[in-house]
Amino acid sequence: MSTQQRKERERAERHQRIIDTAREMAEAEGWDAVTIRKLADRIEYSQPVLYSHFANKAAIVGAVALQGCVELAEQLKLAREAATTHSEVIANVARAYLDFATANPARYDAIFQQKTDLNFGLDAPQPLRDAFAGLEAMFSPYAEGDDLGARTEVAWASLHGLATLDRSGRLRPDLRERRLTLLVDGTSEATPDPP
């Protein structure tokens, strides 16, 4: 291995360590506790080293968000592939989304709550578009264009609302399954099975 290759590998490892440590700190203490100074102290690098990888905290949060989107997209894909009917697709994807939000609070918040340097919408990086496509696939067999986008955004907003309110303890835990059933039933009834 050449010296240049070794330096590139070490830089990539350091970059990933910064991302991982920021996520771990956020999982343990919340994103407000993650500062460049605390992060530098935790990983025993100087602040200039961190700034050589990321322009600011928002860029670090964005990196966590991108990795979270890759994981979310994969979970949504597996959920869709495990289904055999339209209703199962909606139920599986909804459950996968809510399970991801519960199991990965720092990643979820990085994607949907925290300030980042990421562009959203049509100019979003590929991992964000892939995660949205995972939701969009619930409706793509029978909707297109603006109808597809609107259906996906309503489903996403509903899931995000449930995830956020549930995680903050504002919804009754004993009604979790009933809420999911109502969401799936309402979405399934509003969308016919594809031909």
Short mmCIF file of all heavy atoms in Angstrom, two decimals, residues 99-144:
data_model
loop_
_atom_site.label_atom_id
_atom_site.label_comp_id
_atom_site.label_asym_id
_atom_site.label_seq_id
_atom_site.Cartn_x
_atom_site.Cartn_y
_atom_site.Cartn_z
N ASP A 99 -40.61 1.62 13.45
CA ASP A 99 -39.57 0.88 14.18
C ASP A 99 -38.21 1.56 14.03
O ASP A 99 -37.44 1.63 14.99
CB ASP A 99 -39.49 -0.57 13.68
CG ASP A 99 -40.68 -1.41 14.12
OD1 ASP A 99 -41.48 -0.95 14.97
OD2 ASP A 99 -40.83 -2.53 13.58
N PHE A 100 -37.91 2.05 12.82
CA PHE A 100 -36.65 2.76 12.61
C PHE A 100 -36.58 4.00 13.50
O PHE A 100 -35.57 4.26 14.14
CB PHE A 100 -36.49 3.15 11.13
CG PHE A 100 -35.24 3.94 10.87
CD1 PHE A 100 -34.05 3.30 10.61
CD2 PHE A 100 -35.25 5.33 10.90
CE1 PHE A 100 -32.88 4.02 10.39
CE2 PHE A 100 -34.10 6.06 10.67
CZ PHE A 100 -32.91 5.40 10.42
N ALA A 101 -37.66 4.76 13.55
CA ALA A 101 -37.69 5.98 14.36
C ALA A 101 -37.47 5.67 15.84
O ALA A 101 -36.76 6.40 16.54
CB ALA A 101 -39.02 6.71 14.17
N THR A 102 -38.06 4.58 16.31
CA THR A 102 -37.93 4.20 17.71
C THR A 102 -36.53 3.67 18.02
O THR A 102 -35.94 4.03 19.04
CB THR A 102 -38.98 3.12 18.07
OG1 THR A 102 -40.28 3.66 17.83
CG2 THR A 102 -38.85 2.68 19.52
N ALA A 103 -36.01 2.84 17.14
CA ALA A 103 -34.72 2.19 17.39
C ALA A 103 -33.51 3.09 17.12
O ALA A 103 -32.43 2.83 17.64
CB ALA A 103 -34.60 0.92 16.54
N ASN A 104 -33.71 4.14 16.34
CA ASN A 104 -32.59 4.99 15.93
C ASN A 104 -32.91 6.47 16.15
O ASN A 104 -32.96 7.25 15.20
CB ASN A 104 -32.29 4.76 14.44
CG ASN A 104 -31.96 3.33 14.14
OD1 ASN A 104 -30.89 2.86 14.44
ND2 ASN A 104 -32.93 2.62 13.57
N PRO A 105 -33.12 6.87 17.39
CA PRO A 105 -33.57 8.24 17.62
C PRO A 105 -32.59 9.31 17.13
O PRO A 105 -33.02 10.33 16.59
CB PRO A 105 -33.76 8.31 19.14
CG PRO A 105 -32.99 7.17 19.69
CD PRO A 105 -32.97 6.11 18.62
N ALA A 106 -31.30 9.11 17.29
CA ALA A 106 -30.34 10.12 16.85
C ALA A 106 -30.32 10.22 15.33
O ALA A 106 -30.28 11.33 14.77
CB ALA A 106 -28.93 9.79 17.36
N ARG A 107 -30.38 9.09 14.64
CA ARG A 107 -30.42 9.12 13.18
C ARG A 107 -31.72 9.75 12.70
O ARG A 107 -31.73 10.56 11.77
CB ARG A 107 -30.28 7.71 12.62
CG ARG A 107 -28.89 7.14 12.74
CD ARG A 107 -28.86 5.74 12.11
NE ARG A 107 -27.60 5.10 12.34
CZ ARG A 107 -27.38 4.18 13.27
NH1 ARG A 107 -28.36 3.76 14.05
NH2 ARG A 107 -26.19 3.64 13.42
N TYR A 108 -32.82 9.35 13.31
CA TYR A 108 -34.12 9.88 12.90
C TYR A 108 -34.15 11.40 13.07
O TYR A 108 -34.58 12.13 12.19
CB TYR A 108 -35.25 9.22 13.70
CG TYR A 108 -36.61 9.57 13.17
CD1 TYR A 108 -37.16 8.88 12.11
CD2 TYR A 108 -37.34 10.63 13.70
CE1 TYR A 108 -38.41 9.20 11.58
CE2 TYR A 108 -38.59 10.96 13.20
CZ TYR A 108 -39.11 10.25 12.14
OH TYR A 108 -40.33 10.58 11.62
N ASP A 109 -33.69 11.87 14.21
CA ASP A 109 -33.67 13.30 14.45
C ASP A 109 -32.71 14.01 13.49
O ASP A 109 -33.00 15.13 13.05
CB ASP A 109 -33.28 13.61 15.89
CG ASP A 109 -34.39 13.26 16.87
OD1 ASP A 109 -35.53 13.00 16.44
OD2 ASP A 109 -34.11 13.25 18.09
N ALA A 110 -31.60 13.38 13.17
CA ALA A 110 -30.67 13.98 12.21
C ALA A 110 -31.34 14.14 10.85
O ALA A 110 -31.18 15.17 10.19
CB ALA A 110 -29.40 13.14 12.09
N ILE A 111 -32.10 13.15 10.45
CA ILE A 111 -32.77 13.19 9.14
C ILE A 111 -33.89 14.22 9.13
O ILE A 111 -34.00 15.02 8.20
CB ILE A 111 -33.35 11.81 8.77
CG1 ILE A 111 -32.26 10.75 8.66
CG2 ILE A 111 -34.14 11.89 7.46
CD1 ILE A 111 -32.77 9.31 8.61
N PHE A 112 -34.72 14.23 10.17
CA PHE A 112 -35.98 14.96 10.11
C PHE A 112 -36.12 16.15 11.04
O PHE A 112 -37.06 16.93 10.87
CB PHE A 112 -37.15 14.00 10.36
CG PHE A 112 -37.25 12.92 9.34
CD1 PHE A 112 -37.04 11.60 9.69
CD2 PHE A 112 -37.54 13.21 8.01
CE1 PHE A 112 -37.13 10.59 8.75
CE2 PHE A 112 -37.63 12.21 7.06
CZ PHE A 112 -37.43 10.90 7.43
N GLN A 113 -35.25 16.30 12.03
CA GLN A 113 -35.47 17.36 13.02
C GLN A 113 -34.33 18.38 13.09
O GLN A 113 -34.58 19.54 13.37
CB GLN A 113 -35.66 16.76 14.42
CG GLN A 113 -36.71 15.68 14.51
CD GLN A 113 -38.11 16.23 14.60
OE1 GLN A 113 -38.47 17.16 13.90
NE2 GLN A 113 -38.90 15.64 15.48
N GLN A 114 -33.12 17.93 12.90
CA GLN A 114 -31.97 18.80 13.13
C GLN A 114 -31.62 19.65 11.92
O GLN A 114 -31.89 19.28 10.78
CB GLN A 114 -30.75 17.95 13.52
CG GLN A 114 -30.88 17.23 14.83
CD GLN A 114 -30.98 18.21 15.99
OE1 GLN A 114 -30.13 19.07 16.16
NE2 GLN A 114 -32.02 18.06 16.79
N LYS A 115 -30.96 20.76 12.19
CA LYS A 115 -30.46 21.62 11.12
C LYS A 115 -29.26 20.91 10.46
O LYS A 115 -28.35 20.44 11.13
CB LYS A 115 -30.00 22.96 11.70
CG LYS A 115 -29.47 23.93 10.67
CD LYS A 115 -29.03 25.21 11.36
CE LYS A 115 -28.58 26.25 10.37
NZ LYS A 115 -27.33 25.98 9.73
N THR A 116 -29.33 20.82 9.14
CA THR A 116 -28.24 20.21 8.38
C THR A 116 -27.91 21.10 7.18
O THR A 116 -28.62 22.06 6.89
CB THR A 116 -28.60 18.81 7.84
OG1 THR A 116 -29.59 18.96 6.82
CG2 THR A 116 -29.12 17.89 8.94
N ASP A 117 -26.84 20.73 6.49
CA ASP A 117 -26.46 21.42 5.26
C ASP A 117 -27.05 20.71 4.04
O ASP A 117 -26.69 21.03 2.91
CB ASP A 117 -24.93 21.46 5.12
CG ASP A 117 -24.28 22.35 6.16
OD1 ASP A 117 -24.99 23.19 6.76
OD2 ASP A 117 -23.06 22.22 6.38
N LEU A 118 -27.95 19.76 4.25
CA LEU A 118 -28.49 18.96 3.14
C LEU A 118 -29.59 19.71 2.41
O LEU A 118 -30.36 20.46 3.02
CB LEU A 118 -29.06 17.65 3.68
CG LEU A 118 -28.09 16.72 4.38
CD1 LEU A 118 -28.83 15.53 4.98
CD2 LEU A 118 -27.02 16.23 3.41
N ASN A 119 -29.66 19.47 1.12
CA ASN A 119 -30.79 19.95 0.32
C ASN A 119 -31.86 18.87 0.34
O ASN A 119 -31.55 17.68 0.25
CB ASN A 119 -30.37 20.18 -1.13
CG ASN A 119 -29.46 21.37 -1.26
OD1 ASN A 119 -29.59 22.35 -0.55
ND2 ASN A 119 -28.53 21.30 -2.19
N PHE A 120 -33.11 19.30 0.43
CA PHE A 120 -34.22 18.36 0.37
C PHE A 120 -35.00 18.61 -0.91
O PHE A 120 -34.73 19.55 -1.65
CB PHE A 120 -35.11 18.50 1.61
CG PHE A 120 -34.47 17.95 2.85
CD1 PHE A 120 -33.58 18.70 3.59
CD2 PHE A 120 -34.73 16.65 3.25
CE1 PHE A 120 -32.97 18.18 4.71
CE2 PHE A 120 -34.12 16.12 4.37
CZ PHE A 120 -33.25 16.89 5.11
N GLY A 121 -35.96 17.77 -1.18
CA GLY A 121 -36.75 17.92 -2.39
C GLY A 121 -36.06 17.29 -3.58
O GLY A 121 -35.31 16.32 -3.46
N LEU A 122 -36.27 17.86 -4.75
CA LEU A 122 -35.75 17.26 -5.98
C LEU A 122 -34.23 17.33 -6.07
O LEU A 122 -33.63 16.54 -6.79
CB LEU A 122 -36.38 17.95 -7.19
CG LEU A 122 -37.91 17.83 -7.29
CD1 LEU A 122 -38.43 18.62 -8.46
CD2 LEU A 122 -38.33 16.38 -7.38
N ASP A 123 -33.61 18.24 -5.33
CA ASP A 123 -32.15 18.36 -5.35
C ASP A 123 -31.48 17.60 -4.22
O ASP A 123 -30.29 17.77 -3.98
CB ASP A 123 -31.75 19.84 -5.26
CG ASP A 123 -32.18 20.64 -6.47
OD1 ASP A 123 -32.29 20.05 -7.56
OD2 ASP A 123 -32.41 21.85 -6.33
N ALA A 124 -32.22 16.77 -3.52
CA ALA A 124 -31.70 16.04 -2.37
C ALA A 124 -30.63 15.04 -2.81
O ALA A 124 -30.68 14.50 -3.92
CB ALA A 124 -32.83 15.31 -1.66
N PRO A 125 -29.67 14.76 -1.92
CA PRO A 125 -28.69 13.71 -2.20
C PRO A 125 -29.38 12.36 -2.38
O PRO A 125 -30.49 12.15 -1.87
CB PRO A 125 -27.80 13.70 -0.96
CG PRO A 125 -28.05 14.99 -0.27
CD PRO A 125 -29.43 15.42 -0.63
N GLN A 126 -28.75 11.46 -3.06
CA GLN A 126 -29.34 10.17 -3.39
C GLN A 126 -29.88 9.40 -2.19
O GLN A 126 -30.98 8.86 -2.26
CB GLN A 126 -28.35 9.31 -4.18
CG GLN A 126 -28.97 8.09 -4.82
CD GLN A 126 -30.02 8.46 -5.86
OE1 GLN A 126 -29.79 9.31 -6.72
NE2 GLN A 126 -31.20 7.85 -5.79
N PRO A 127 -29.17 9.32 -1.06
CA PRO A 127 -29.75 8.58 0.07
C PRO A 127 -31.09 9.13 0.55
O PRO A 127 -31.98 8.36 0.91
CB PRO A 127 -28.68 8.71 1.17
CG PRO A 127 -27.40 8.88 0.42
CD PRO A 127 -27.78 9.72 -0.77
N LEU A 128 -31.27 10.45 0.51
CA LEU A 128 -32.57 11.02 0.89
C LEU A 128 -33.63 10.66 -0.14
O LEU A 128 -34.76 10.30 0.22
CB LEU A 128 -32.47 12.54 1.01
CG LEU A 128 -32.04 13.09 2.37
CD1 LEU A 128 -30.61 12.73 2.69
CD2 LEU A 128 -32.23 14.60 2.41
N ARG A 129 -33.28 10.72 -1.40
CA ARG A 129 -34.23 10.35 -2.45
C ARG A 129 -34.59 8.88 -2.36
O ARG A 129 -35.73 8.49 -2.59
CB ARG A 129 -33.67 10.70 -3.84
CG ARG A 129 -33.59 12.21 -4.06
CD ARG A 129 -33.35 12.57 -5.50
NE ARG A 129 -32.33 11.80 -6.16
CZ ARG A 129 -31.15 12.26 -6.54
NH1 ARG A 129 -30.84 13.52 -6.34
NH2 ARG A 129 -30.29 11.48 -7.15
N ASP A 130 -33.62 8.03 -2.02
CA ASP A 130 -33.88 6.59 -1.88
C ASP A 130 -34.84 6.31 -0.73
O ASP A 130 -35.72 5.45 -0.85
CB ASP A 130 -32.57 5.82 -1.68
CG ASP A 130 -31.69 5.79 -2.91
OD1 ASP A 130 -32.17 6.13 -4.02
OD2 ASP A 130 -30.50 5.46 -2.76
N ALA A 131 -34.66 7.02 0.38
CA ALA A 131 -35.57 6.82 1.52
C ALA A 131 -36.98 7.26 1.14
O ALA A 131 -37.96 6.57 1.46
CB ALA A 131 -35.06 7.58 2.74
N PHE A 132 -37.12 8.38 0.46
CA PHE A 132 -38.44 8.84 0.02
C PHE A 132 -39.02 7.84 -0.98
O PHE A 132 -40.22 7.53 -0.92
CB PHE A 132 -38.35 10.23 -0.61
CG PHE A 132 -39.69 10.83 -0.93
CD1 PHE A 132 -40.49 11.36 0.07
CD2 PHE A 132 -40.16 10.84 -2.22
CE1 PHE A 132 -41.73 11.91 -0.22
CE2 PHE A 132 -41.41 11.38 -2.53
CZ PHE A 132 -42.19 11.91 -1.52
N ALA A 133 -38.19 7.32 -1.86
CA ALA A 133 -38.65 6.33 -2.84
C ALA A 133 -39.17 5.07 -2.14
O ALA A 133 -40.08 4.41 -2.63
CB ALA A 133 -37.55 5.98 -3.81
N GLY A 134 -38.59 4.75 -0.97
CA GLY A 134 -39.07 3.61 -0.21
C GLY A 134 -40.50 3.80 0.25
O GLY A 134 -41.28 2.84 0.33
N LEU A 135 -40.86 5.03 0.56
CA LEU A 135 -42.25 5.33 0.91
C LEU A 135 -43.11 5.42 -0.35
O LEU A 135 -44.24 4.94 -0.39
CB LEU A 135 -42.32 6.64 1.69
CG LEU A 135 -41.65 6.65 3.05
CD1 LEU A 135 -41.61 8.07 3.62
CD2 LEU A 135 -42.34 5.70 4.01
N GLU A 136 -42.57 6.05 -1.37
CA GLU A 136 -43.29 6.24 -2.63
C GLU A 136 -43.69 4.91 -3.26
O GLU A 136 -44.74 4.80 -3.90
CB GLU A 136 -42.38 7.02 -3.57
CG GLU A 136 -43.02 7.63 -4.75
CD GLU A 136 -42.04 8.50 -5.51
OE1 GLU A 136 -40.98 7.99 -5.92
OE2 GLU A 136 -42.34 9.69 -5.69
N ALA A 137 -42.89 3.88 -3.05
CA ALA A 137 -43.16 2.57 -3.65
C ALA A 137 -44.46 1.96 -3.14
O ALA A 137 -45.01 1.06 -3.78
CB ALA A 137 -41.99 1.62 -3.39
N MET A 138 -44.98 2.46 -2.02
CA MET A 138 -46.28 1.97 -1.54
C MET A 138 -47.38 2.31 -2.54
O MET A 138 -48.37 1.62 -2.64
CB MET A 138 -46.64 2.60 -0.20
CG MET A 138 -45.81 2.15 0.97
SD MET A 138 -46.47 2.78 2.55
CE MET A 138 -46.14 4.53 2.44
N PHE A 139 -47.20 3.40 -3.28
CA PHE A 139 -48.26 3.91 -4.14
C PHE A 139 -47.93 3.86 -5.63
O PHE A 139 -48.81 4.04 -6.46
CB PHE A 139 -48.58 5.37 -3.76
CG PHE A 139 -48.87 5.54 -2.31
CD1 PHE A 139 -47.97 6.15 -1.46
CD2 PHE A 139 -50.06 5.06 -1.77
CE1 PHE A 139 -48.24 6.30 -0.11
CE2 PHE A 139 -50.34 5.21 -0.42
CZ PHE A 139 -49.43 5.83 0.41
N SER A 140 -46.67 3.63 -5.98
CA SER A 140 -46.26 3.72 -7.38
C SER A 140 -46.92 2.73 -8.32
O SER A 140 -47.02 3.02 -9.51
CB SER A 140 -44.73 3.64 -7.50
OG SER A 140 -44.26 2.44 -6.95
N PRO A 141 -47.45 1.59 -7.86
CA PRO A 141 -48.12 0.70 -8.81
C PRO A 141 -49.39 1.29 -9.42
O PRO A 141 -49.83 0.86 -10.47
CB PRO A 141 -48.45 -0.55 -8.00
CG PRO A 141 -47.48 -0.55 -6.88
CD PRO A 141 -47.26 0.91 -6.56
N TYR A 142 -50.00 2.28 -8.79
CA TYR A 142 -51.26 2.79 -9.31
C TYR A 142 -51.38 4.31 -9.28
O TYR A 142 -52.45 4.85 -9.54
CB TYR A 142 -52.45 2.20 -8.55
CG TYR A 142 -52.30 2.34 -7.08
CD1 TYR A 142 -52.67 3.49 -6.43
CD2 TYR A 142 -51.71 1.32 -6.33
CE1 TYR A 142 -52.48 3.64 -5.09
CE2 TYR A 142 -51.54 1.45 -4.99
CZ TYR A 142 -51.93 2.62 -4.36
OH TYR A 142 -51.73 2.75 -3.02
N ALA A 143 -50.31 5.00 -8.99
CA ALA A 143 -50.35 6.47 -8.99
C ALA A 143 -49.09 6.97 -9.67
O ALA A 143 -48.06 6.29 -9.69
CB ALA A 143 -50.45 7.00 -7.57
N GLU A 144 -49.17 8.17 -10.20
CA GLU A 144 -47.99 8.76 -10.83
C GLU A 144 -48.06 10.27 -10.71
O GLU A 144 -49.08 10.83 -10.31
CB GLU A 144 -47.88 8.33 -12.29
CG GLU A 144 -49.08 8.65 -13.12
CD GLU A 144 -48.99 8.05 -14.53
OE1 GLU A 144 -48.45 6.95 -14.69
OE2 GLU A 144 -49.48 8.73 -15.43
#
